[in-house]
Amino acid sequence: MNSISTSKLRFIDEDGRTRIFNGMNIDDKLQNQKEFRYNLDEDFFKKYRANGFDIIRLAITWQNLEPNMGEYNEDYLKSIDLIFSLAEQYGVYILLDMHQDLYSGNDGKSVGDGAPSWAVITDGAKPRMPIFVWADGYFLGKWVQKSFDHFWNNDKVNGIGLQDRYCELWKMLANRYKNSPALFGFDLMNEPFPGSDSKRMFARLVTGVSKTVLLNKKINRGKLFKSLIKRDTKNMLDCVGGNVIRDAVHKIDSLQEKFDREKYSPFLNKTTAAIREVTQNGIIMMEQSYICNSGVKQSCPPITVNGKREEKQCFGPHAYDFSVDTPLYQYANASRVKAFFGEMRETQLRLEVPVVVGEWGGCSDNKDTSWFNHAYELLDFFDENHWGQIYWDYHGDDLDSPLMTMLSRTHPVAVDGDIKSYGYNRISNTFKLEYDSDGKSETVIYIHKPFETDNEYRIIEKYENEAALVAFKNNKGSHIITITIKD
């Protein structure tokens, strides 16, 4: 496997080729696990590669890794070892994600996941099950807010700070997998949450959305009121499109900046420094706060270690339509989600780092195909920005499901040089890649069906589903590769 590094806005391999990664999130958010939730065996990896995937964001939790303070779950870790071994064999990279939702599952008293009970300090606030959707605990749950407050303050448990213990956990993982060719990197915390400061953020969000809906001239209120009268949910939601998102949320920016600079950035620097004590291998992924998933500006500076900018870092944004996790997701509006990701594009340019989208999608059962047009718009947006993507999420049987008709698609894997543009036209069934080549290596494209092209190529690997990994020869200079997919 190629070792992966970064160069400004690009992921690169040792041949200097631009790499674009595509994959799925595979999570184990269950509690008290003795081994990883899914059996990712050879059959899985064969199908995974055949569908064009070359990265897994492997979501694991502190609770399963260190259920008792200072004692790591060796049986569980051995199941992760096996995943790494097979991933290396089949050329799939692993992004280790330390996952959390609502900070912790609180021994089954909440729907969250993440920290073990010994690392939870709530000041007496009691966890509960959700009132509306799982995420309401972030804004309505004092137990969640207090837990995060104590974590960000590095308050002590048995004489050692919570963040210090968290760093030790990451050092253990870094040491265990530092020499694996399959190691892509370390996603330090899923969707970090500000804690008690979120109460002010939520108040500003409610005010901002209300003012935008009632007063913003960009909203067609005639259409809005007519939709309300007719109970036309889709048109009503569509009235609040991507063009008004920043108007609704911008007043949260200053509060988010305070958290980013005073709490989150020091955490990123500290945790990265701990990992770098162990290894220089692996890319460090910065996420944005859960609050920023809806278009609030992220303000973290680049990650530094001992005052020096970390060389191998990337940005892994997440975004979903605000109807996610509800029955209204069938009415998801791509313009809203693209507005969220548009703000994240600004963050990428400010940080000057490459992006692989850490989470997107969110279809609750992966069986619904009615939202695919929404998904295609987002995939096109990722292609326009030369972003890889990791879909949320795998449910165990998806590699043989209709979901693959959307996710398994022709895309560049390794491009010899700088990409100008690429994309797939679903009307003409043509894929086009334009780039400036260094003439040093081949350009590799995954092609999801039988194809025709006038460009010179060789087949690297042919799969049972008739897809192929294809290499194209390069001379130094500008190139255009055009591929027609045969239905």
Short mmCIF file of all heavy atoms in Angstrom, two decimals, residues 191 242 245-246 288 292-296 298 315-321 329 333-349 355-362 371 374-375 377-385 387-392:
data_model
loop_
_atom_site.label_atom_id
_atom_site.label_comp_id
_atom_site.label_asym_id
_atom_site.label_seq_id
_atom_site.Cartn_x
_atom_site.Cartn_y
_atom_site.Cartn_z
N GLU A 191 -17.34 14.98 16.41
CA GLU A 191 -18.26 16.09 16.65
C GLU A 191 -18.20 16.62 18.08
O GLU A 191 -19.16 16.54 18.84
CB GLU A 191 -19.69 15.66 16.29
CG GLU A 191 -19.82 15.28 14.83
CD GLU A 191 -21.23 14.89 14.41
OE1 GLU A 191 -22.13 14.84 15.29
OE2 GLU A 191 -21.44 14.63 13.21
N GLY A 242 -30.59 27.06 1.14
CA GLY A 242 -29.20 27.34 1.46
C GLY A 242 -28.85 28.81 1.43
O GLY A 242 -27.89 29.24 2.07
N ILE A 245 -29.06 30.28 5.12
CA ILE A 245 -28.47 29.55 6.26
C ILE A 245 -27.55 30.45 7.08
O ILE A 245 -27.68 30.55 8.31
CB ILE A 245 -27.72 28.31 5.78
CG1 ILE A 245 -28.70 27.27 5.23
CG2 ILE A 245 -26.87 27.72 6.89
CD1 ILE A 245 -29.73 26.77 6.22
N ARG A 246 -26.64 31.12 6.43
CA ARG A 246 -25.70 31.95 7.18
C ARG A 246 -26.42 33.12 7.87
O ARG A 246 -26.03 33.53 8.97
CB ARG A 246 -24.61 32.47 6.26
CG ARG A 246 -23.56 31.44 5.89
CD ARG A 246 -22.74 31.00 7.10
NE ARG A 246 -22.01 32.11 7.68
CZ ARG A 246 -21.58 32.16 8.93
NH1 ARG A 246 -21.84 31.17 9.78
NH2 ARG A 246 -20.91 33.20 9.38
N GLN A 288 -15.05 19.60 12.96
CA GLN A 288 -15.62 20.80 13.52
C GLN A 288 -16.59 20.42 14.62
O GLN A 288 -17.03 19.27 14.71
CB GLN A 288 -16.32 21.68 12.47
CG GLN A 288 -17.71 21.24 12.07
CD GLN A 288 -17.72 20.16 11.02
OE1 GLN A 288 -16.75 19.99 10.28
NE2 GLN A 288 -18.81 19.42 10.93
N CYS A 292 -21.20 23.32 14.39
CA CYS A 292 -20.80 23.78 13.06
C CYS A 292 -21.35 22.91 11.94
O CYS A 292 -21.22 23.28 10.77
CB CYS A 292 -19.28 23.85 12.96
SG CYS A 292 -18.53 25.07 14.06
N ASN A 293 -21.95 21.77 12.28
CA ASN A 293 -22.53 20.93 11.24
C ASN A 293 -23.64 21.64 10.49
O ASN A 293 -24.02 21.21 9.38
CB ASN A 293 -23.11 19.65 11.85
CG ASN A 293 -22.03 18.68 12.32
OD1 ASN A 293 -20.85 18.98 12.26
ND2 ASN A 293 -22.45 17.52 12.79
N SER A 294 -24.18 22.72 11.06
CA SER A 294 -25.29 23.45 10.44
C SER A 294 -24.88 24.83 9.94
O SER A 294 -25.70 25.75 9.90
CB SER A 294 -26.44 23.57 11.44
OG SER A 294 -26.93 22.29 11.79
N GLY A 295 -23.62 24.97 9.57
CA GLY A 295 -23.19 26.19 8.89
C GLY A 295 -22.59 27.26 9.77
O GLY A 295 -22.22 28.33 9.27
N VAL A 296 -22.46 27.02 11.07
CA VAL A 296 -21.77 27.97 11.95
C VAL A 296 -20.28 27.94 11.61
O VAL A 296 -19.71 26.89 11.33
CB VAL A 296 -22.01 27.60 13.43
CG1 VAL A 296 -21.19 28.50 14.35
CG2 VAL A 296 -23.50 27.71 13.76
N GLN A 298 -16.41 27.71 11.76
CA GLN A 298 -15.39 27.08 12.57
C GLN A 298 -14.18 27.99 12.62
O GLN A 298 -13.79 28.57 11.61
CB GLN A 298 -15.02 25.71 11.98
CG GLN A 298 -14.32 24.77 12.96
CD GLN A 298 -12.85 24.64 12.71
OE1 GLN A 298 -12.20 25.59 12.31
NE2 GLN A 298 -12.30 23.47 12.97
N PHE A 315 -8.82 18.03 7.29
CA PHE A 315 -10.11 18.47 7.83
C PHE A 315 -11.15 17.44 7.41
O PHE A 315 -11.17 17.00 6.25
CB PHE A 315 -10.44 19.85 7.27
CG PHE A 315 -11.71 20.47 7.79
CD1 PHE A 315 -12.06 20.37 9.13
CD2 PHE A 315 -12.56 21.16 6.95
CE1 PHE A 315 -13.22 20.95 9.62
CE2 PHE A 315 -13.72 21.76 7.42
CZ PHE A 315 -14.05 21.65 8.76
N GLY A 316 -12.01 17.04 8.36
CA GLY A 316 -13.04 16.03 8.08
C GLY A 316 -14.42 16.54 8.43
O GLY A 316 -14.98 16.15 9.46
N PRO A 317 -15.01 17.43 7.62
CA PRO A 317 -16.30 18.02 7.96
C PRO A 317 -17.45 17.02 7.89
O PRO A 317 -17.38 16.02 7.17
CB PRO A 317 -16.46 19.12 6.90
CG PRO A 317 -15.67 18.63 5.73
CD PRO A 317 -14.49 17.91 6.32
N HIS A 318 -18.51 17.31 8.64
CA HIS A 318 -19.76 16.54 8.62
C HIS A 318 -20.90 17.52 8.34
O HIS A 318 -20.87 18.66 8.81
CB HIS A 318 -20.06 15.90 9.98
CG HIS A 318 -19.01 14.98 10.49
ND1 HIS A 318 -19.14 14.32 11.70
CD2 HIS A 318 -17.82 14.59 9.99
CE1 HIS A 318 -18.08 13.56 11.91
NE2 HIS A 318 -17.25 13.73 10.88
N ALA A 319 -21.91 17.06 7.63
CA ALA A 319 -23.13 17.87 7.49
C ALA A 319 -24.28 16.99 7.04
O ALA A 319 -24.11 16.07 6.23
CB ALA A 319 -22.93 19.02 6.50
N TYR A 320 -25.45 17.30 7.58
CA TYR A 320 -26.70 16.65 7.20
C TYR A 320 -27.78 17.73 7.12
O TYR A 320 -27.67 18.78 7.76
CB TYR A 320 -27.14 15.63 8.26
CG TYR A 320 -26.16 14.51 8.53
CD1 TYR A 320 -25.25 14.62 9.57
CD2 TYR A 320 -26.18 13.36 7.77
CE1 TYR A 320 -24.36 13.59 9.84
CE2 TYR A 320 -25.29 12.32 8.04
CZ TYR A 320 -24.38 12.44 9.08
OH TYR A 320 -23.50 11.41 9.34
N ASP A 321 -28.82 17.45 6.40
CA ASP A 321 -29.97 18.34 6.42
C ASP A 321 -30.55 18.38 7.83
O ASP A 321 -30.47 17.40 8.57
CB ASP A 321 -31.03 17.86 5.43
CG ASP A 321 -32.14 18.88 5.24
OD1 ASP A 321 -31.89 19.90 4.59
OD2 ASP A 321 -33.24 18.65 5.76
N TYR A 329 -36.83 13.42 6.67
CA TYR A 329 -35.61 13.37 5.88
C TYR A 329 -35.88 13.09 4.40
O TYR A 329 -35.05 13.38 3.55
CB TYR A 329 -34.65 12.32 6.45
CG TYR A 329 -33.22 12.53 6.00
CD1 TYR A 329 -32.57 13.73 6.29
CD2 TYR A 329 -32.53 11.57 5.28
CE1 TYR A 329 -31.26 13.95 5.89
CE2 TYR A 329 -31.23 11.77 4.87
CZ TYR A 329 -30.60 12.96 5.18
OH TYR A 329 -29.31 13.20 4.77
N ASN A 333 -33.09 18.86 1.73
CA ASN A 333 -32.85 19.87 0.70
C ASN A 333 -31.34 19.99 0.48
O ASN A 333 -30.61 20.41 1.38
CB ASN A 333 -33.46 21.20 1.15
CG ASN A 333 -33.32 22.30 0.12
OD1 ASN A 333 -32.22 22.60 -0.32
ND2 ASN A 333 -34.44 22.90 -0.26
N ALA A 334 -30.89 19.64 -0.70
CA ALA A 334 -29.46 19.64 -0.98
C ALA A 334 -28.87 21.04 -0.92
O ALA A 334 -27.70 21.21 -0.58
CB ALA A 334 -29.18 19.00 -2.35
N SER A 335 -29.64 22.07 -1.24
CA SER A 335 -29.10 23.43 -1.20
C SER A 335 -28.72 23.82 0.23
O SER A 335 -27.73 24.53 0.44
CB SER A 335 -30.09 24.44 -1.78
OG SER A 335 -31.11 24.78 -0.86
N ARG A 336 -29.49 23.35 1.21
CA ARG A 336 -29.13 23.64 2.60
C ARG A 336 -27.82 22.94 2.96
O ARG A 336 -26.92 23.55 3.56
CB ARG A 336 -30.24 23.17 3.54
CG ARG A 336 -31.47 24.04 3.55
CD ARG A 336 -32.39 23.70 4.71
NE ARG A 336 -32.99 22.38 4.61
CZ ARG A 336 -34.21 22.14 4.14
NH1 ARG A 336 -34.96 23.13 3.70
NH2 ARG A 336 -34.68 20.90 4.11
N VAL A 337 -27.73 21.67 2.62
CA VAL A 337 -26.54 20.92 3.00
C VAL A 337 -25.31 21.45 2.26
O VAL A 337 -24.21 21.53 2.82
CB VAL A 337 -26.73 19.41 2.74
CG1 VAL A 337 -25.54 18.62 3.26
CG2 VAL A 337 -28.01 18.92 3.41
N LYS A 338 -25.48 21.84 1.01
CA LYS A 338 -24.35 22.43 0.27
C LYS A 338 -23.94 23.76 0.88
O LYS A 338 -22.76 24.14 0.84
CB LYS A 338 -24.71 22.59 -1.21
CG LYS A 338 -24.72 21.26 -1.96
CD LYS A 338 -24.75 21.44 -3.47
CE LYS A 338 -26.08 21.92 -3.95
NZ LYS A 338 -26.14 21.96 -5.44
N ALA A 339 -24.89 24.50 1.47
CA ALA A 339 -24.55 25.74 2.17
C ALA A 339 -23.70 25.42 3.40
O ALA A 339 -22.73 26.12 3.70
CB ALA A 339 -25.81 26.49 2.57
N PHE A 340 -24.07 24.34 4.11
CA PHE A 340 -23.25 23.94 5.26
C PHE A 340 -21.84 23.59 4.80
O PHE A 340 -20.85 24.06 5.36
CB PHE A 340 -23.86 22.71 5.95
CG PHE A 340 -25.27 22.87 6.44
CD1 PHE A 340 -26.09 21.76 6.58
CD2 PHE A 340 -25.79 24.11 6.75
CE1 PHE A 340 -27.39 21.88 7.04
CE2 PHE A 340 -27.10 24.25 7.21
CZ PHE A 340 -27.89 23.13 7.34
N PHE A 341 -21.75 22.76 3.76
CA PHE A 341 -20.44 22.36 3.26
C PHE A 341 -19.69 23.53 2.63
O PHE A 341 -18.46 23.55 2.62
CB PHE A 341 -20.58 21.21 2.27
CG PHE A 341 -20.72 19.85 2.91
CD1 PHE A 341 -21.83 19.05 2.65
CD2 PHE A 341 -19.75 19.38 3.78
CE1 PHE A 341 -21.96 17.80 3.24
CE2 PHE A 341 -19.87 18.12 4.37
CZ PHE A 341 -20.97 17.33 4.11
N GLY A 342 -20.43 24.49 2.09
CA GLY A 342 -19.77 25.68 1.54
C GLY A 342 -19.02 26.45 2.62
O GLY A 342 -17.90 26.95 2.38
N GLU A 343 -19.60 26.55 3.79
CA GLU A 343 -18.90 27.19 4.91
C GLU A 343 -17.68 26.38 5.29
O GLU A 343 -16.62 26.93 5.63
CB GLU A 343 -19.85 27.33 6.10
CG GLU A 343 -19.23 27.96 7.33
CD GLU A 343 -18.71 29.37 7.09
OE1 GLU A 343 -19.37 30.15 6.36
OE2 GLU A 343 -17.63 29.70 7.63
N MET A 344 -17.78 25.07 5.20
CA MET A 344 -16.65 24.20 5.53
C MET A 344 -15.54 24.29 4.48
O MET A 344 -14.37 24.10 4.78
CB MET A 344 -17.14 22.77 5.71
CG MET A 344 -18.10 22.64 6.89
SD MET A 344 -19.08 21.12 6.86
CE MET A 344 -20.40 21.58 8.01
N ARG A 345 -15.93 24.58 3.25
CA ARG A 345 -14.92 24.83 2.21
C ARG A 345 -14.08 26.05 2.59
O ARG A 345 -12.85 26.05 2.41
CB ARG A 345 -15.61 25.05 0.86
CG ARG A 345 -14.70 25.54 -0.27
CD ARG A 345 -13.64 24.52 -0.66
NE ARG A 345 -12.93 24.94 -1.85
CZ ARG A 345 -11.87 24.31 -2.36
NH1 ARG A 345 -11.41 23.21 -1.78
NH2 ARG A 345 -11.28 24.75 -3.46
N GLU A 346 -14.73 27.07 3.15
CA GLU A 346 -13.98 28.25 3.59
C GLU A 346 -13.00 27.88 4.70
O GLU A 346 -11.88 28.40 4.76
CB GLU A 346 -14.95 29.34 4.09
CG GLU A 346 -15.86 29.90 3.01
CD GLU A 346 -15.08 30.52 1.86
OE1 GLU A 346 -14.12 31.27 2.13
OE2 GLU A 346 -15.41 30.21 0.69
N THR A 347 -13.42 26.98 5.58
CA THR A 347 -12.52 26.51 6.64
C THR A 347 -11.33 25.78 6.04
O THR A 347 -10.18 25.99 6.47
CB THR A 347 -13.27 25.58 7.61
OG1 THR A 347 -14.32 26.32 8.24
CG2 THR A 347 -12.35 25.02 8.68
N GLN A 348 -11.57 24.93 5.06
CA GLN A 348 -10.46 24.23 4.40
C GLN A 348 -9.44 25.21 3.84
O GLN A 348 -8.23 25.05 4.05
CB GLN A 348 -10.97 23.34 3.28
CG GLN A 348 -9.83 22.65 2.53
CD GLN A 348 -10.24 22.00 1.22
OE1 GLN A 348 -11.29 22.31 0.66
NE2 GLN A 348 -9.41 21.09 0.73
N LEU A 349 -9.92 26.21 3.13
CA LEU A 349 -9.02 27.17 2.49
C LEU A 349 -8.24 27.97 3.54
O LEU A 349 -7.06 28.28 3.34
CB LEU A 349 -9.81 28.11 1.57
CG LEU A 349 -10.50 27.42 0.38
CD1 LEU A 349 -11.35 28.43 -0.39
CD2 LEU A 349 -9.49 26.76 -0.54
N VAL A 355 -9.22 17.69 2.41
CA VAL A 355 -10.49 17.29 3.01
C VAL A 355 -10.88 15.90 2.54
O VAL A 355 -10.76 15.58 1.35
CB VAL A 355 -11.62 18.29 2.66
CG1 VAL A 355 -13.00 17.64 2.82
CG2 VAL A 355 -11.54 19.53 3.53
N VAL A 356 -11.33 15.09 3.46
CA VAL A 356 -12.18 13.94 3.13
C VAL A 356 -13.39 14.09 4.03
O VAL A 356 -13.26 14.26 5.25
CB VAL A 356 -11.46 12.58 3.33
CG1 VAL A 356 -10.94 12.39 4.74
CG2 VAL A 356 -12.39 11.43 2.94
N VAL A 357 -14.57 14.16 3.43
CA VAL A 357 -15.80 14.38 4.20
C VAL A 357 -16.00 13.20 5.14
O VAL A 357 -16.13 12.05 4.71
CB VAL A 357 -17.01 14.55 3.27
CG1 VAL A 357 -18.30 14.68 4.09
CG2 VAL A 357 -16.83 15.77 2.39
N GLY A 358 -16.03 13.47 6.45
CA GLY A 358 -16.08 12.41 7.44
C GLY A 358 -17.44 11.76 7.58
O GLY A 358 -17.54 10.57 7.88
N GLU A 359 -18.51 12.56 7.41
CA GLU A 359 -19.87 12.03 7.48
C GLU A 359 -20.79 12.84 6.58
O GLU A 359 -20.69 14.07 6.52
CB GLU A 359 -20.44 12.09 8.91
CG GLU A 359 -19.85 11.12 9.89
CD GLU A 359 -20.59 11.16 11.23
OE1 GLU A 359 -21.77 11.60 11.26
OE2 GLU A 359 -19.98 10.77 12.24
N TRP A 360 -21.67 12.13 5.91
CA TRP A 360 -22.75 12.74 5.15
C TRP A 360 -23.73 11.61 4.85
O TRP A 360 -23.42 10.44 5.08
CB TRP A 360 -22.25 13.37 3.84
CG TRP A 360 -21.88 12.35 2.80
CD1 TRP A 360 -20.75 11.58 2.75
CD2 TRP A 360 -22.67 11.94 1.68
NE1 TRP A 360 -20.77 10.72 1.69
CE2 TRP A 360 -21.95 10.92 1.00
CE3 TRP A 360 -23.92 12.32 1.19
CZ2 TRP A 360 -22.44 10.30 -0.14
CZ3 TRP A 360 -24.40 11.69 0.05
CH2 TRP A 360 -23.66 10.70 -0.61
N GLY A 361 -24.89 11.93 4.34
CA GLY A 361 -25.87 10.89 4.02
C GLY A 361 -26.95 10.86 5.07
O GLY A 361 -27.82 11.73 5.11
N GLY A 362 -26.92 9.86 5.95
CA GLY A 362 -27.83 9.83 7.07
C GLY A 362 -29.18 9.19 6.80
O GLY A 362 -30.09 9.34 7.61
N TRP A 371 -34.28 9.42 -1.89
CA TRP A 371 -33.46 10.60 -1.61
C TRP A 371 -32.16 10.63 -2.43
O TRP A 371 -31.32 11.48 -2.22
CB TRP A 371 -33.12 10.64 -0.11
CG TRP A 371 -32.14 9.58 0.31
CD1 TRP A 371 -32.36 8.25 0.43
CD2 TRP A 371 -30.75 9.79 0.63
NE1 TRP A 371 -31.20 7.59 0.81
CE2 TRP A 371 -30.20 8.51 0.94
CE3 TRP A 371 -29.92 10.88 0.68
CZ2 TRP A 371 -28.88 8.33 1.31
CZ3 TRP A 371 -28.59 10.71 1.05
CH2 TRP A 371 -28.09 9.44 1.34
N HIS A 374 -30.95 13.90 -3.98
CA HIS A 374 -30.29 14.73 -2.96
C HIS A 374 -28.84 14.30 -2.81
O HIS A 374 -27.91 15.12 -2.80
CB HIS A 374 -31.06 14.57 -1.64
CG HIS A 374 -30.35 15.07 -0.43
ND1 HIS A 374 -30.42 16.37 -0.01
CD2 HIS A 374 -29.57 14.43 0.48
CE1 HIS A 374 -29.72 16.52 1.11
NE2 HIS A 374 -29.19 15.35 1.43
N ALA A 375 -28.61 12.98 -2.71
CA ALA A 375 -27.26 12.46 -2.53
C ALA A 375 -26.37 12.77 -3.74
O ALA A 375 -25.20 13.13 -3.59
CB ALA A 375 -27.32 10.95 -2.30
N GLU A 377 -26.52 15.29 -5.76
CA GLU A 377 -26.11 16.71 -5.72
C GLU A 377 -24.93 16.90 -4.79
O GLU A 377 -24.01 17.68 -5.08
CB GLU A 377 -27.28 17.59 -5.28
CG GLU A 377 -28.33 17.85 -6.33
CD GLU A 377 -29.25 19.00 -5.95
OE1 GLU A 377 -28.73 20.11 -5.70
OE2 GLU A 377 -30.47 18.79 -5.90
N LEU A 378 -24.95 16.22 -3.65
CA LEU A 378 -23.84 16.36 -2.71
C LEU A 378 -22.57 15.72 -3.25
O LEU A 378 -21.47 16.27 -3.13
CB LEU A 378 -24.22 15.73 -1.36
CG LEU A 378 -25.39 16.39 -0.64
CD1 LEU A 378 -25.64 15.71 0.70
CD2 LEU A 378 -25.16 17.88 -0.44
N LEU A 379 -22.70 14.55 -3.87
CA LEU A 379 -21.52 13.91 -4.47
C LEU A 379 -20.91 14.80 -5.55
O LEU A 379 -19.68 14.91 -5.66
CB LEU A 379 -21.91 12.55 -5.06
CG LEU A 379 -22.18 11.45 -4.03
CD1 LEU A 379 -22.82 10.24 -4.71
CD2 LEU A 379 -20.91 11.02 -3.30
N ASP A 380 -21.75 15.45 -6.34
CA ASP A 380 -21.24 16.37 -7.35
C ASP A 380 -20.50 17.54 -6.70
O ASP A 380 -19.47 18.01 -7.20
CB ASP A 380 -22.38 16.90 -8.22
CG ASP A 380 -22.96 15.83 -9.14
OD1 ASP A 380 -22.32 14.78 -9.32
OD2 ASP A 380 -24.08 16.05 -9.67
N PHE A 381 -21.04 18.02 -5.58
CA PHE A 381 -20.39 19.12 -4.86
C PHE A 381 -19.02 18.68 -4.34
O PHE A 381 -18.04 19.43 -4.43
CB PHE A 381 -21.28 19.57 -3.70
CG PHE A 381 -20.73 20.72 -2.91
CD1 PHE A 381 -20.97 22.03 -3.29
CD2 PHE A 381 -19.96 20.50 -1.77
CE1 PHE A 381 -20.46 23.10 -2.56
CE2 PHE A 381 -19.44 21.57 -1.03
CZ PHE A 381 -19.69 22.86 -1.43
N PHE A 382 -18.94 17.48 -3.81
CA PHE A 382 -17.64 16.97 -3.35
C PHE A 382 -16.65 16.88 -4.51
O PHE A 382 -15.47 17.26 -4.38
CB PHE A 382 -17.80 15.60 -2.70
CG PHE A 382 -18.76 15.53 -1.53
CD1 PHE A 382 -19.36 14.33 -1.19
CD2 PHE A 382 -19.06 16.66 -0.78
CE1 PHE A 382 -20.23 14.26 -0.11
CE2 PHE A 382 -19.94 16.61 0.29
CZ PHE A 382 -20.54 15.40 0.62
N ASP A 383 -17.12 16.39 -5.65
CA ASP A 383 -16.25 16.29 -6.82
C ASP A 383 -15.75 17.66 -7.27
O ASP A 383 -14.57 17.81 -7.63
CB ASP A 383 -16.99 15.61 -7.98
CG ASP A 383 -17.24 14.13 -7.74
OD1 ASP A 383 -16.67 13.57 -6.79
OD2 ASP A 383 -18.01 13.53 -8.52
N GLU A 384 -16.62 18.64 -7.26
CA GLU A 384 -16.22 20.00 -7.67
C GLU A 384 -15.10 20.54 -6.80
O GLU A 384 -14.26 21.32 -7.27
CB GLU A 384 -17.43 20.93 -7.60
CG GLU A 384 -18.48 20.69 -8.67
CD GLU A 384 -19.79 21.40 -8.37
OE1 GLU A 384 -19.81 22.26 -7.45
OE2 GLU A 384 -20.81 21.09 -9.04
N ASN A 385 -15.10 20.14 -5.54
CA ASN A 385 -14.08 20.63 -4.60
C ASN A 385 -12.92 19.66 -4.41
O ASN A 385 -12.04 19.90 -3.59
CB ASN A 385 -14.73 20.93 -3.25
CG ASN A 385 -15.62 22.16 -3.30
OD1 ASN A 385 -15.12 23.27 -3.40
ND2 ASN A 385 -16.92 21.96 -3.26
N TRP A 387 -12.95 16.68 -3.13
CA TRP A 387 -13.03 16.07 -1.81
C TRP A 387 -13.34 14.59 -1.93
O TRP A 387 -14.21 14.19 -2.71
CB TRP A 387 -14.15 16.69 -0.98
CG TRP A 387 -13.92 18.10 -0.53
CD1 TRP A 387 -12.81 18.87 -0.69
CD2 TRP A 387 -14.87 18.91 0.19
NE1 TRP A 387 -13.00 20.10 -0.12
CE2 TRP A 387 -14.25 20.15 0.43
CE3 TRP A 387 -16.16 18.70 0.66
CZ2 TRP A 387 -14.90 21.19 1.11
CZ3 TRP A 387 -16.80 19.72 1.34
CH2 TRP A 387 -16.17 20.95 1.57
N GLY A 388 -12.67 13.77 -1.15
CA GLY A 388 -13.11 12.41 -0.95
C GLY A 388 -14.29 12.39 0.01
O GLY A 388 -14.65 13.43 0.60
N GLN A 389 -14.90 11.23 0.19
CA GLN A 389 -16.07 11.17 1.06
C GLN A 389 -16.18 9.82 1.74
O GLN A 389 -15.77 8.80 1.20
CB GLN A 389 -17.35 11.47 0.27
CG GLN A 389 -17.63 10.52 -0.91
CD GLN A 389 -18.29 9.22 -0.50
OE1 GLN A 389 -18.97 9.14 0.52
NE2 GLN A 389 -18.08 8.17 -1.29
N ILE A 390 -16.75 9.85 2.97
CA ILE A 390 -16.98 8.63 3.74
C ILE A 390 -18.43 8.67 4.20
O ILE A 390 -18.80 9.49 5.05
CB ILE A 390 -16.02 8.52 4.93
CG1 ILE A 390 -14.56 8.71 4.47
CG2 ILE A 390 -16.17 7.16 5.61
CD1 ILE A 390 -13.55 8.70 5.61
N TYR A 391 -19.25 7.83 3.64
CA TYR A 391 -20.70 7.84 3.84
C TYR A 391 -21.09 7.33 5.23
O TYR A 391 -20.50 6.38 5.74
CB TYR A 391 -21.35 6.96 2.77
CG TYR A 391 -22.84 6.77 2.92
CD1 TYR A 391 -23.73 7.71 2.41
CD2 TYR A 391 -23.35 5.64 3.56
CE1 TYR A 391 -25.10 7.53 2.54
CE2 TYR A 391 -24.72 5.45 3.69
CZ TYR A 391 -25.58 6.40 3.18
OH TYR A 391 -26.94 6.21 3.33
N TRP A 392 -22.09 7.98 5.85
CA TRP A 392 -22.66 7.48 7.11
C TRP A 392 -23.98 6.79 6.81
O TRP A 392 -24.90 7.43 6.33
CB TRP A 392 -22.89 8.63 8.10
CG TRP A 392 -23.36 8.10 9.41
CD1 TRP A 392 -24.66 7.88 9.80
CD2 TRP A 392 -22.54 7.68 10.51
NE1 TRP A 392 -24.70 7.34 11.05
CE2 TRP A 392 -23.42 7.20 11.52
CE3 TRP A 392 -21.16 7.64 10.73
CZ2 TRP A 392 -22.95 6.71 12.74
CZ3 TRP A 392 -20.70 7.15 11.94
CH2 TRP A 392 -21.59 6.69 12.93
#
